[in-house]
Structure formats: structure tokens, C-alpha cells
Amino acid sequence: QVQLVESGGGVVQPGRSLRLSCAASGFTFSYYAMHWLRQAPGKGLEWVALISYDGSNKYFAASVKGRFTISRDNSNNTLYLQMNSLRAEDTAVYYCATAQGGGYQGPFDIWGQGTMVTVSS
Amino acid sequence: EIVLTQSPGTLSLSPGERATLSCRASQSVSTSYLAWYQQKPGQAPRLLIYGASSRATGIPDRFSGSGSGTDFTLTISRLEPEDFAVYYCQQYGSSYTFGQGTKLEIK
């Protein structure tokens, strides 16, 4: 079945880096644009980043632009989020997701279970 | 950026009752690119409604969406015990933004 599984979360000090992974299965990963979203504890949802199906186009929320990068390995069906210069306000559950139809403009119909990132000294 | 404002913040109802949740956008949402999600504690959001009024796969018909432009509504016709959760609206016509959520709790 279609599945997304995030990993790589943990506790990290402010200013440090962390890389998240998202393993995809059950669909043709290389055909799909992929997204990262996050949810701070007790808060709402925030879109973070988008990468096109082939990795040639990348888009970021203003809150993470210049600090986070997104990449993918289509040969291993894996999505990444490299998070640098982490701040306390980056503390959140991070989800990977696909938009309906696999393009840019669609509701998010497939979600992973999320991985928790805590930025604290 | 399109700001989505959901109301009420909390809705207290009993099973069997009808729930009406509102989502208002700061500017018109293009082509009704408006979705609704349900989220239970410790779980990822689940897509309920897209295109303002189309039910996602496997969603019961007691869930319905309506609206256009800047005003949208999610209606749950008869609440089941498993419907008590947090609901978010989202627009995907101009980047992606979410409302702050409505908590539907048992009265």
C-alpha cells in the first residue's frame, strides 16, 4: 500500500543541523512532487518545502528559506530535508506528504506518520 | 499570503447532532482550491474534502463541504463518536496555508 515513513528526528541544540528522511513505497515516487510540512506542539499546520518530481525545482516557506534545503533520491525512493541553523521555533513534528495527482497544486492526500524535532539547549 | 480564519475555535456537540464549521479566507481562493482535514491526537491529518466540496476516497457521506470565494463550510450531518477531533481548512491555490483549526469536542 502507499506509505511514507519519516525518520531522523531528535533533540538538537540551537544553531546545529539535522537531516530528515522520508522513505516512500507503494507508488512511483519518481513521478511525484513531494512536500514537507510541520506542526509545532499544540499548534496548527505549516507548509515548509516542495521539490519537483525530478528535483529540478524547489520552493520554501519564508520561515525556513536560506536555512533548509530539500532533495530527493529517486533511485532509492527517498526524500530529504536538510535543516541548518536550527532555532527553537523550528521545534515541531515534521511530515512528508504528496499532493493529490502528484503535482504542485493539490490537497495533501498521502501523509507520513511524522518525526519529532526538538531544538533545545 | 492567504490567511484562513476558522470558527468557532471549539465546538461542543453530542453524537447524532449536526456540526457546522466555518473557514473564511482573507482573499478569494482560486478555483475553489480549498480542502478540509481531520486530525486526531498523535496522528497525521487525513484529507476529507478537496475542491471545496468533493469527498476524498473512503470518506463517509455524512461529511460535506460547500462554499466559494472567501467563505467555506464543512458540515458533518450526524456526528459519530469517531468524528470528535480537530479540523483544519487549507487553501492550495496560492502556495499553501492552513487555518488555525476547530476542535470538535463531546458535550
Side-chain angles (χ1 to χ4, degrees):
Chain A
Q1 74 279 21
V2 175
Q3 194 171 15
L4 298 171
V5 179
E6 302 93 337
S7 61
V11 180
V12 60
Q13 293 178 328
R16 303 298 291 264
S17 299
L18 200 63
R19 188 178 82 157
L20 305 182
S21 301
C22 169
S25 59
F27 65 102
T28 307
F29 179 74
S30 60
Y31 288 2
Y32 281 70
M34 295 296 298
H35 300 255
W36 286 100
L37 300 98
R38 68 184 181 183
Q39 186 171 34
K43 302 296 185 182
L45 295 155
E46 179 187 18
W47 172 80
V48 172
L50 156 66
I51 186 168
S52 60
Y53 71 98
D54 62 354
S56 62
N57 294 295
K58 304 173 185 181
Y59 305 91
F60 298 92
S63 58
V64 306
K65 202 168 189 178
R67 299 188 299 122
F68 289 14
T69 59
I70 188 172
S71 61
R72 64 190 298 158
D73 179 351
N74 284 346
S75 62
N76 286 305
N77 294 342
T78 304
L79 171 73
Y80 301 101
L81 184 68
Q82 177 67 43
M83 305 184 294
N84 299 329
S85 303
L86 282 162
R87 305 167 180 168
E89 54 264 36
D90 296 319
T91 294
V93 175
Y94 284 74
Y95 296 100
C96 59
T98 66
Q100 192 179 61
Y104 290 10
Q105 201 162 41
F108 300 114
D109 60 347
I110 307 296
W111 297 68
Q113 86 290 350
T115 188
M116 182 70 202
V117 173
T118 302
V119 183
S120 173
S121 55
Chain B
E1 174 180 294
I2 298 178
V3 176
L4 300 179
T5 302
Q6 293 185 240
S7 62
T10 302
L11 186 57
S12 300
L13 293 171
S14 301
E17 290 192 294
R18 181 186 186 90
T20 303
L21 287 66
S22 175
C23 177
R24 178 162 289 178
S26 60
Q27 55 188 281
S28 185
V29 176
S30 63
T31 327
S32 293
Y33 285 153
L34 192 287
W36 290 93
Y37 299 84
Q38 177 193 70
Q39 188 178 34
K40 296 181 179 179
Q43 296 184 16
R46 177 174 72 144
L47 177 65
L48 299 175
I49 301 287
Y50 64 94
S53 60
S54 298
R55 271 188 302 276
T57 303
I59 301 304
D61 62 6
R62 65 180 181 273
F63 291 91
S64 63
S66 63
S68 64
T70 61
D71 289 292
F72 299 88
T73 300
L74 174 70
T75 301
I76 310 171
S77 58
R78 290 176 311 280
L79 286 166
E80 299 287 343
E82 63 267 26
D83 298 336
F84 292 91
V86 179
Y87 291 83
Y88 293 97
C89 60
Q90 178 226 351
Q91 67 81 24
Y92 49 95
S94 173
S95 190
Y96 319 91
T97 54
F98 291 84
Q100 82 280 15
T102 290
K103 182 180 181 180
L104 179 56
E105 64 177 24
I106 298 177
K107 188 173 182 180

